[in-house]
């Protein structure tokens, strides 16, 4: 086992596991889990070694998010969004922020989705205007994971003056004019604090631009999209793996005393569990093939990235439907612990690019049409 997997195993099997039910029940941010990940050096997993990070890449991010999701979907999603932001900051951010991230002192996230353009994150309607030695940002961001806890947001807006659909910024949470009006109260991933943020004339220095004015689309598609799609898939994978395991344990340990048999003695039940296992392994295979396609520069890498998230979003809901069915009334209550995964698994399909948008992209790609 790699060093980083030893570290994540240690954190996941202790503090993340111990806090997962409380985080879900209370809808509270997993502060203890994120502190433990920071302490273990895992917030700096993707940070370069020359700024004090672990120096790992996409494959490690996928591995870590999948393992965390087996215990707590919220912790996994917060980590996923942090790693997506770190991938951009590593490329364009200042050395001091990169060092803070590597040292575990800085949590970041993505603030792309907006009330105006909704899931079409590639087309922000918020604006940025020049003001002396810096810029002013105005926005209505609709969903920002870790909104109240991140130290910074990797933020999109329309360009200041350049051509192009967007510009990317690094915005401090404590900037004057940032407002986070209400706490997150979601169906699933209840601890991920994915809350709307408004920005009213928020001043950022010139150095806050990540990349150049107007070049946001390239940052979104070239850097963020592969990380987000594959780590989001990893989150779905971890949820499916844990749910399949819990379902199997419940089915083999639950008895019909009057028939002296277990739930798993029913062929129908075994077939449902087999389908859960097959679908989970299908997603795992596709996910790691996509990682390999990127690592080796294969021609189908972009298609694999899109397919992975589309399949994972769809299949995770199917697998968790099966888990709920197999575990019966015991799952409808919280006895088996499958319904938390059932709720958490529903988020992936509506996280942008949503499953339906991905099907549109994939359909365009295979019929030879441009994606945009
Ligand atoms: C738990 C959670 C955490 C999140 N965290 C973040 C975050 O940290 N940062 C961030 O930027 N965003 C985040 N998001 C937002 C997410 O990425 C989406 O932008 C958001 O969920 C879209 O919801 P909406 O109601 O605006 O969708 P809408 O855009 O209103 O879509 C509604 C439906 O229409 C469908 N649809 C839209 N366009 C098309 C199309 N062209 N073809 C076919 N169907 C289409 C969609 O698939 C969807 O089913 C998060 C969302 C969730 C649920």
């Amino acid at each position: 086992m790699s060093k980083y997997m030893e570290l994540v195993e240690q954190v996941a099997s202790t503090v993340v596991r111990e806090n997962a039910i409380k985080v879900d029940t209370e809808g509270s941010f997993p502060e203890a889990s994120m502190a433990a990940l920071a302490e273990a050096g895992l917030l700096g997993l993707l940070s370069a070694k020359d700024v004090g990070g672990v120096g790992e890449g996409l494959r490690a991010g996928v591995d870590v998010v999948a393992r965390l999701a087996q215990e707590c979907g919220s912790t996994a999603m917060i980590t996923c969004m942090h790693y997506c932001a770190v991938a951009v900051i590593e490329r364009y951010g200042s050395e001091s922020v990169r060092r803070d991230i590597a040292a575990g002192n800085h949590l970041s996230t993505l603030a792309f989705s907006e009330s105006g353009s909704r899931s079409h994150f590639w087309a922000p309607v918020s604006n940025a205007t020049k003001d002396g030695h810096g810029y002013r940002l105005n926005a209505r961001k609709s969903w920002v994971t870790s909104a109240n806890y991140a130290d910074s947001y990797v933020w999109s807006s329309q360009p200041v003056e350049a051509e192009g659909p967007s510009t990317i910024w690094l915005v401090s949470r404590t900037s004057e004019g940032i407002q986070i009006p209400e706490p997150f109260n979601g169906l699933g991933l209840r601890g991920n604090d994915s809350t709307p943020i408004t920005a009213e004339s928020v001043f950022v220095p010139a150095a806050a631009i990540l990349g150049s004015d107007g070049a946001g689309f390239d940052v979104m598609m070239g850097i963020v999209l592969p990380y987000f799609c594959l780590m989001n898939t990893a989150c779905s994978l971890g949820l499916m793996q844990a749910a399949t395991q819990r379902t199997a344990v419940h089915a083999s340990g639950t008895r019909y005393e009057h028939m002296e048999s277990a739930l798993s003695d029913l062929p129908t039940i075994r077939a449902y569990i087999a389908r859960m296992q097959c679908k989970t392994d299908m997603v795992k295979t596709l996910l790691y093939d996509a990682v390999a396609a990127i690592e080796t520069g294969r021609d189908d890498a972009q298609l694999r990235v899109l397919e992975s998230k589309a399949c994972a979003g769809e299949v995770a809901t199917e697998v968790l439907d099966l888990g709920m069915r197999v575990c019966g009334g015991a799952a409808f209550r919280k006895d088996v612990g499958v319904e938390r995964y059932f709720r958490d698994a529903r988020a992936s399909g509506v996280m942008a690019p949503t499953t339906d948008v991905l099907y549109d992209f994939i359909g365009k790609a295979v019929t030879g049409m441009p994606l945009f």
Side-chain angles (χ1 to χ4, degrees), residues 77 81 109-115 117-122 141-146 184 188-189 192 194 228 347-357 360:
M77 187 53 67
M81 293 319 238
T109 188
L110 299 180
F112 284 177
S113 303
E114 300 192 347
S115 304
S117 49
R118 306 186 68 82
S119 59
H120 299 187
F121 64 88
W122 55 88
K141 297 291 175 183
S142 51
W143 298 78
V144 182
T145 293
S146 313
F184 178 66
L189 300 182
N192 92 141
S194 192
F228 176 71
S348 172
V350 296
M351 292 185 77
T354 65
T355 303
D356 288 322
V357 167
D360 187 40

Side-chain angles (χ1 to χ4, degrees), residues 214-230:
F217 188 81
D218 293 342
V219 175
M220 286 178 173
M221 298 302 159
I223 300 176
V224 177
L225 191 76
Y227 273 95
F228 176 71
C229 284
L230 297 188

Side-chain angles (χ1 to χ4, degrees), residues 29 34-35 37-39 41-47 51 78-79 81-90 93-110 145-147 149-155 169-175 210:
F29 192 79
M34 296 313 298
L37 288 170
E39 177 72 18
L42 289 167
L43 292 189
L45 182 73
L46 305 188
S47 304
V51 291
I78 291 160
T79 306
M81 293 319 238
H82 171 72
Y83 288 161
C84 289
V86 171
V88 181
I89 295 167
E90 273 296 296
S94 70
E95 186 175 327
S96 67
V97 172
R98 292 175 59 214
R99 285 194 179 280
D100 277 353
I101 291 171
N105 296 327
H106 185 119
L107 182 71
S108 195
T109 188
L110 299 180
T145 293
S146 313
Y149 293 85
D151 296 283
S152 66
Y153 312 120
V154 171
W155 183 282
W169 310 85
L170 190 68
V171 177
S172 166
R173 174 175 53 82
T174 55
S175 308
L210 297 172

